[in-house]
Amino acid sequence: MRKHIVAGNWKMNTTVADGVNLAKEVVAAASEVPSSVKLIIAPPFTHLVPVAEVVKGSVVGLSAQNCADKVSGAYTGEVSVDMLVSASCEYTILGHSERRQYYGETDAKLVEKVKLAIAAGLSPIFCVGENLEEREAGRHFDVVAEQVKNVLYTLSAEEMAKVIVAYEPVWAIGTGKTATAEQAQEIHACIRKVLADKFGALADDITILYGGSCKPSNAKELFACPDIDGGLIGGAALKASDFIAIAKSF
Ligand code: PGA
């Protein structure tokens, strides 16, 4: 049985003090969420160490939002996987569309990052998703399949077993436009099929999250789909009550 996960991507929001408070609110309300649902929060780098203290001993897991594609050394401004592990992270988001779009992250770079993260003991939350133009041209299945193949097909089955996939249509991120449950389900099923073509039965055990304007009002319908195993939540993760309400939708 694959895991149900609800992960909060805080992006570049909150001060350290506000982030610590938000983490405390999530931890305090976590007992309301069914124990079958794993909660994860992904604060900015500066918040990881104090937030790790808050989530320690709780059911809430800690994730980064990115990592370097190099092990260590003269890479000004970068944060390595070993640094993340030393800050008590268990996960890192990788390949978010905002990283791909604004910071030029290529599939080749993501291969390096995903492999380094796994080797360090982190589980990558690997994001894929088409933009509006690609969707309107009817290329969404191909685009997402390519993103999956270019990066995840380079992994061994043992490595793949550590990966969480997140499907996030770019046109739905932060726009208030959610993919319908039907649109999301058909892409999730396609991702699982692409994974099965390479990894066989392991594909059934891979958690695939939906992201893009997921909120308390639409989470139930999305999470009811057979291939949607949870959510990667942006805006709604900045309010503990909304984040918890989403996780309670299972
Ligand atoms: P959103 O962001 O929920 O604010 O649309 C999701 C994400 O980018 O992870």
Side-chain angles (χ1 to χ4, degrees), residues 7-9 11 93 96-98 127 166 168-169 172-177 210-215 232-237:
N9 174 11
K11 307 192 181 183
I93 297 170
H96 191 282
S97 61
E98 289 152 12
C127 304
E168 300 203 306
I173 295 176
T175 58
K177 272 191 222 158
Y210 168 78
S213 300
C214 186
K215 41 191 182 247
L232 180 55
I233 318 300

Side-chain angles (χ1 to χ4, degrees), residues 201-235:
L202 175 63
D204 280 331
D205 296 332
I206 303 294
T207 296
I208 307 179
L209 309 178
Y210 168 78
S213 300
C214 186
K215 41 191 182 247
S217 59
N218 58 28
K220 211 180 186 70
E221 200 189 347
L222 288 159
F223 296 173
C225 297
D227 287 295
I228 300 181
D229 309 313
L232 180 55
I233 318 300

Side-chain angles (χ1 to χ4, degrees), residues 234-245:
L238 294 172
K239 208 171 147 202
S241 57
D242 282 352
F243 183 61
I244 294 295

Side-chain angles (χ1 to χ4, degrees), residues 70-87:
K70 302 286 193 299
V71 174
S72 68
Y75 301 102
T76 302
E78 291 294 312
V79 175
S80 75
V81 289
D82 287 345
M83 293 173 189
L84 297 181
V85 170
S86 73

Side-chain angles (χ1 to χ4, degrees), residues 23-191:
K24 283 182 183 164
E25 286 171 10
V26 171
V27 168
S31 60
E32 296 169 27
V33 174
S35 58
S36 57
V37 182
K38 176 71 188 167
L39 292 174
I40 298 171
I41 53 177
F45 287 136
T46 44
H47 304 27
L48 290 172
V49 169
V51 168
E53 279 303 307
V54 176
V55 301
K56 195 153 109 189
S58 81
V59 296
V60 180
L62 186 63
S63 176
Q65 299 175 13
N66 185 25
C67 70
D69 61 340
K70 302 286 193 299
V71 174
S72 68
Y75 301 102
T76 302
E78 291 294 312
V79 175
S80 75
V81 289
D82 287 345
M83 293 173 189
L84 297 181
V85 170
S86 73
S88 305
C89 280
E90 297 168 276
Y91 309 85
T92 183
I93 297 170
L94 287 175
H96 191 282
S97 61
E98 289 152 12
R99 302 284 329 160
R100 293 177 188 260
Q101 194 179 339
Y102 307 136
Y103 301 97
E105 283 204 1
T106 58
D107 289 339
K109 229 175 213 178
L110 288 168
V111 169
E112 299 305 317
K113 292 188 178 198
V114 167
K115 283 184 183 275
L116 283 173
I118 295 170
L122 297 169
S123 279
I125 302 173
F126 176 68
C127 304
V128 295
E130 81 286 357
N131 63 31
L132 186 61
E133 195 187 332
E134 291 160 341
R135 159 114 356 214
E136 283 176 345
R139 294 179 45 229
H140 41 294
F141 291 108
D142 292 343
V143 167
V144 168
E146 276 307 295
Q147 290 171 335
V148 169
K149 286 181 191 172
N150 288 346
V151 178
L152 301 182
Y153 273 24
T154 69
L155 303 180
S156 66
E158 205 183 319
E159 289 171 321
M160 184 63 219
K162 304 272 194 265
V163 177
I164 298 158
V165 179
Y167 167 61
E168 300 203 306
V170 177
W171 48 271
I173 295 176
T175 58
K177 272 191 222 158
T178 320
T180 63
E182 196 186 0
Q183 284 171 326
Q185 165 57 29
E186 63 183 8
I187 291 263
H188 280 235
C190 162
I191 292 170

